[in-house]
Amino acid sequence: MISISFATPADTPLILSLIRELAEYEKLSHEVKTTEEDLSRSLFGEKPEAEVLLAFVNSEAAGFCLFFHNYSTFLSRKGLYIEDAYVRPDYRGQGVGRALFRACAQIAKERNCGRMEWWVLDWNAPALHFYEKLGAEAMRDWTVHRLTSEQFDTV
């Protein structure tokens, strides 16, 4: 049985563990700099910066989805941006990912969002296939650009 719930401050160690598992899967473990304290402050502090849904299968942690709102000037509406979605290997193919995305879509609908968006690594064929099955469209006409905090003063 799959259940989805909003994370609470007590879930911070679990969330960090899932983030580290995701980073390892994406071959990006070296980029994880956050601590439990940082994560707790940003998710559950005075002004939360993101929200987390946790997925459980028979009360075992199976995955998570971290999201926040962005904004579309073309729609004049907020959107729901999924920063991370991850299902532990033992739970893949059991509907956990679909349940997380269904929950996000329901939240987006309830909050009158104009769209949901996320990024996926080009090499992640299983994720790309999963998102296609959901009906998501790849935004092939757009290129992502980034400035890191170390570069802010160079602008």
Side-chain angles (χ1 to χ4, degrees):
M1 179 176 166
I2 300 170
S3 64
I4 307 293
S5 60
F6 278 97
T8 68
D11 296 314
T12 302
L14 172 61
I15 296 166
L16 183 54
S17 174
L18 290 164
I19 289 170
R20 288 182 174 143
E21 287 179 37
L22 169 63
E24 184 175 329
Y25 174 76
E26 292 182 338
K27 301 171 182 73
L28 297 170
S29 294
H30 61 283
E31 291 192 21
V32 178
K33 308 292 186 216
T34 190
T35 65
E36 281 186 27
E37 295 77 23
D38 293 336
L39 198 55
S40 182
R41 184 175 43 258
S42 67
L43 296 177
F44 306 109
E46 188 176 318
K47 293 178 94 177
E49 298 167 359
E51 299 173 77
V52 175
L53 292 175
L54 294 171
F56 296 90
V57 173
N58 299 324
S59 74
E60 294 292 323
F64 82 111
C65 191
L66 185 145
F67 65 91
F68 54 89
H69 290 289
N70 57 12
Y71 186 80
S72 168
T73 55
F74 289 8
L75 299 176
S76 293
R77 290 167 65 185
K78 64 184 167 188
L80 192 143
Y81 181 79
I82 297 172
E83 174 67 20
D84 287 324
Y86 176 71
V87 175
R88 287 179 158 160
D90 290 347
Y91 299 99
R92 293 181 189 155
Q94 298 180 33
V96 175
R98 183 173 288 277
L100 283 166
F101 273 79
R102 187 177 292 128
C104 284
Q106 184 61 37
I107 291 166
K109 184 177 177 181
E110 290 169 0
R111 295 180 184 181
N112 196 33
C113 294
R115 58 187 174 207
M116 281 177 33
E117 296 177 317
W118 59 92
W119 297 354
V120 61
L121 292 166
D122 291 342
W123 59 260
N124 194 343
L128 290 166
H129 180 69
F130 170 72
Y131 299 141
E132 262 180 37
K133 284 177 32 180
L134 290 179
E137 296 177 42
M139 303 297 293
R140 303 206 189 281
D141 295 338
W142 297 87
T143 301
V144 176
H145 287 81
R146 173 181 290 168
L147 289 173
T148 65
S149 59
E150 292 81 17
Q151 298 165 307
F152 292 164
D153 288 334
T154 67
V155 176

